Amino acid sequence: MYRLAIYGKGGIGKSTTSCNTAYALHKMGYTVLQIGCDPKSDSTLLHMGGKMPKSVLDIMRETDEPSLDDLVKLGEDGVWCCEAGGPLPGVGCAGRGIITAFEELDRVHAFDEIKPDIVIYDVLGDVVCGGFAMPLRGKYSDGVMVVTSGEMMSLYAASNIIHAINSFQTRGYAQFRGLIANLRNVEGELDKIHALCEEESVDIAAVIPRSPLIQEAEALKKTAVELFPESDIAGYYEELAKEIMKEQKV
């Protein structure tokens, strides 16, 4: 099992990237589990045909000891889905919600039962507290990628996340696997991302160009890779999937 955490500024396209890449990996024959780590619980919508699954924390508020079948659902496209969820609005810490959800998945032996070849964590925004850093730690993650565009705030968030990852790497935690350039057609965009790479001594793992097919697929509650399998944009996500699994003995 290989576990990859995908981070980046809120709204930068982490969930779109995670879903399309997860489906590309599924197409390659891998068993994939995607875990949304956002209180909005909307990471896996494209796998579930637009139906928002109940989050782990919502289920735990209703049931003392939920089962694995309660917590993890098989998406319509064949990707396993789980949403960590968060506290009720205005009450509690969303980061703590991730920790609680992970502990619950451990309790039901989710990884042992589903036996995913790859787990993708789709993690909200910046690394702002211990809870949101949870997927970077110890047994939970093997690698990390950061999604960014050439927009100033996206680059700033990416830099902060890279610094956090570097601090965790000194403790032997997840390995940084590179930036995912999710392009927004900003002027001089790739030059700006390359400048960040040079400043932080990191590499670009993949470039995903802007494509209207992504929005068209999302309007139909599908991934572009599933709906437009022969398209150029599907090919870019498939190349990212191959990059992720490169040298992995899965």
Side-chain angles (χ1 to χ4, degrees), residues 2-230:
Y2 184 76
R3 298 151 300 178
L4 178 75
I6 295 180
Y7 279 83
K9 175 184 173 293
I12 198 57
K14 293 183 304 301
S15 296
T16 298
T17 301
S18 297
C19 285
N20 278 279
T21 306
Y23 183 73
L25 287 160
H26 169 68
K27 270 183 64 179
M28 292 163 62
Y30 295 110
T31 299
V32 186
L33 168 61
Q34 183 172 322
I35 301 177
C37 301
D38 186 325
K40 297 194 303 296
S41 305
D42 58 357
S43 170
T44 59
L45 282 174
L46 300 183
H47 301 311
M48 301 292 293
K51 305 183 192 88
M52 188 174 289
K54 265 190 180 175
S55 73
V56 173
L57 266 67
D58 282 342
I59 294 166
M60 289 176 67
R61 281 188 276 269
E62 300 171 357
T63 309
D64 288 336
E65 287 197 354
S67 68
L68 174 62
D69 290 340
D70 295 324
L71 303 177
V72 182
K73 301 295 183 182
L74 184 62
E76 293 181 2
D77 62 0
V79 173
W80 288 96
C81 301
C82 176
E83 297 283 353
L88 296 173
V91 181
C93 168
R96 178 61 202 171
I98 293 174
I99 296 172
T100 302
F102 279 23
E103 290 172 347
E104 194 67 7
L105 289 173
D106 282 343
R107 183 188 66 78
V108 298
H109 307 290
F111 298 138
D112 293 333
E113 293 295 326
I114 294 173
K115 294 181 173 59
D117 297 311
I118 179 163
V119 179
I120 293 178
Y121 303 103
D122 174 11
V123 191
L124 172 67
D126 213 334
V127 182
V128 293
C129 71
F132 287 113
M134 191 75 171
L136 298 177
R137 297 182 176 185
K139 65 180 180 178
Y140 288 112
S141 191
D142 302 298
V144 188
M145 286 182 171
V146 176
V147 181
T148 188
S149 69
E151 297 161 307
M152 181 183 70
M153 294 309 296
S154 174
L155 294 168
Y156 178 74
S159 177
N160 281 343
I161 297 166
I162 290 167
H163 292 166
I165 294 166
N166 287 340
S167 71
F168 282 121
Q169 284 185 328
T170 62
R171 307 179 211 178
Y173 289 173
Q175 174 191 5
F176 184 61
R177 296 289 307 277
L179 292 173
I180 299 170
N182 193 41
L183 302 185
R184 300 291 187 89
N185 293 343
V186 175
E187 186 176 351
E189 189 160 23
L190 274 175
D191 289 340
K192 292 174 182 177
I193 297 172
H194 280 297
L196 174 66
C197 289
E198 186 173 344
E199 183 179 332
E200 301 293 350
S201 300
V202 298
D203 296 317
I204 295 176
V207 176
I208 309 295
R210 195 167 180 83
S211 170
L213 294 182
I214 295 173
Q215 286 71 39
E216 189 174 334
E218 289 185 351
L220 296 171
K221 316 302 183 189
K222 301 283 186 182
T223 63
V225 180
E226 180 183 11
L227 204 56
F228 307 109
E230 303 302 320

